[in-house]
Amino acid sequence: MALNSQRSKHLPPVKRGTIYDLYLTLSDERLLEYDIDKLVFEARSPYQKVQIVHSKSLGNMLILDELQNMSEADLIYSETLMQRGKECYEDKEIVILGGGDGGLLWELLKENPKRVTMLEIDDVVIKACSQYMRSVCGDCLDKRITSKYEIIVGDCVIALNHMINEGHQVDYVFGDLTDIPISTAPHGDAWDFIRLILNSSMKVLKPTGKYMTHGNGASCPKSLKMYEEVLSQLCVPVKFTKDEAFIPSFFEVWIFYQVSLK
Ligand SMILES: C[S@@+](CCC(N)C(=O)[O-])C[C@H]1O[C@@H](n2cnc3c(N)ncnc32)[C@H](O)[C@@H]1O
């Protein structure tokens, strides 16, 4: 068949010289060229490089340390993470770890929860998204506290420790952290830190509670298996279910976990 092909293929040239990076990596390290045509916002926070760029097909995109996090075309990300239609959030108490783009908070507030507390380390992310990602976060990042939610700026590990010491337990914890969360203390490698976040989260869940999080790309089975091994070795026995969705700005199928205490 290939020998009979009438067409010849040529590789497009690599584009250079833009003030923003057109090439971002997929979860399995493949490079993808995005149709970015504008740098909307750029700053270096104490924790990471924060950029918002405009893509012709995806709208504004939040990029943290050169990794794509959320775009205006990614409602499916928040909906799959929260398992919209399958979980009931009415009158529930919820904690979000990270989530600085405000997308998850905005979507959860539509489900009439009792209270949501968002623990996000980076004020620069919150302010940039509040200004330039409004189709994602609505107006929920404009205020830091209302009768329905509170946004606490700081390391979620410290806030989780406070909750553990106070014996404060909630119905849902969402792990909406960057793929490699920011550690403000020397916690060994990234997996140790992820383990710490998972163990701390289990301690603030009611016995009926759930930990909801994003895993990795479906093209990274080894990394997903490692995550599942970590889940099987937590301080308490847990069981989990999985779901998946194609995330437009990731250009790949992403795996999401729903973890509950056994
Ligand atoms: C923007 S959200 C969304 C994650 C996402 N959609 C993705 O693609 O990975 C991730 C947030 O986690 C926050 N974060 C990372 N480490 C943290 C920590 N230790 N405590 C609180 N927030 C943290 C980052 O600042 C970032 O805003």
Side-chain angles (χ1 to χ4, degrees):
M1 283 283 275
L3 290 176
N4 294 333
S5 174
Q6 298 298 305
R7 288 189 298 138
S8 66
K9 193 160 91 185
H10 65 274
L11 293 173
V14 171
K15 294 183 185 142
R16 298 171 204 269
T18 48
I19 51 166
Y20 39 79
D21 197 352
L22 290 172
Y23 299 93
L24 299 171
T25 38
L26 300 184
S27 58
D28 60 2
E29 303 293 326
R30 276 176 296 155
L31 266 189
L32 194 78
E33 185 182 298
Y34 282 71
D35 58 352
I36 297 168
D37 59 358
K38 196 164 124 199
L39 177 65
V40 175
F41 173 90
E42 186 172 48
R44 178 158 281 285
S45 80
Y47 307 105
Q48 57 204 334
K49 181 174 164 188
V50 182
Q51 290 175 306
I52 295 182
V53 296
H54 180 263
S55 140
K56 286 186 238 172
S57 56
L58 301 162
N60 282 352
M61 300 168 35
L62 170 69
I63 300 173
L64 299 175
D65 277 346
E66 324 290 349
L67 284 175
Q68 168 54 16
N69 270 253
M70 173 64 91
S71 85
E72 290 189 291
D74 292 343
L75 176 61
I76 189 71
Y77 173 89
S78 301
E79 292 197 318
T80 315
L81 178 55
M82 68 193 270
Q83 295 285 282
R84 178 164 266 159
K86 296 183 196 159
E87 294 290 331
C88 174
Y89 294 104
E90 185 143 6
D91 281 328
K92 298 286 169 38
E93 199 175 340
I94 303 168
V95 167
I96 300 174
L97 312 178
D101 52 70
L104 179 63
L105 175 60
W106 185 238
E107 296 309 320
L108 282 169
L109 290 172
K110 295 176 186 169
E111 311 265 327
N112 206 18
K114 183 175 173 196
R115 193 159 180 78
V116 187
T117 306
M118 185 172 116
L119 308 170
E120 164 62 53
I121 203 166
D122 201 336
D123 204 29
V124 175
V125 174
I126 297 174
K127 286 186 176 140
C129 292
S130 159
Q131 194 169 354
Y132 300 111
M133 301 280 288
R134 284 189 91 78
S135 75
V136 170
C137 62
D139 62 4
C140 75
L141 299 179
D142 296 357
K143 293 190 189 125
R144 294 300 160 94
I145 185 161
T146 73
S147 60
K148 280 291 180 189
Y149 67 92
E150 180 170 9
I151 298 171
I152 298 173
V153 178
D155 186 345
C156 68
V157 175
I158 296 168
L160 281 172
N161 279 339
H162 271 292
M163 290 179 68
I164 295 168
N165 292 339
E166 285 169 3
H168 184 172
Q169 292 192 321
V170 299
D171 299 290
Y172 289 94
V173 175
F174 281 90
D176 194 18
L177 296 159
T178 37
D179 290 340
I180 301 170
I182 296 156
S183 170
T184 52
H187 284 303
D189 72 11
W191 282 105
D192 283 345
F193 192 53
I194 289 166
R195 218 172 272 122
L196 172 71
I197 287 168
L198 276 164
N199 277 320
S200 306
S201 298
M202 294 308 140
K203 292 180 188 159
V204 302
L205 276 181
K206 291 179 185 170
T208 51
K210 281 191 185 171
Y211 179 83
M212 319 280 277
T213 194
H214 57 99
N216 212 323
S219 61
C220 294
K222 280 193 190 146
S223 161
L224 291 164
K225 194 160 175 280
M226 266 173 86
Y227 189 76
E228 289 168 23
E229 271 166 29
V230 168
L231 287 179
S232 70
Q233 291 158 9
L234 295 182
C235 59
V236 285
V238 300
K239 55 186 182 198
F240 64 84
T241 50
K242 288 190 263 187
D243 197 4
E244 61 177 51
F246 180 84
I247 310 300
S249 80
F250 297 179
F251 286 93
E252 58 184 323
V253 171
W254 210 254
I255 308 297
F256 296 82
Y257 288 93
Q258 303 83 45
V259 184
S260 49
L261 303 166
K262 260 189 193 162

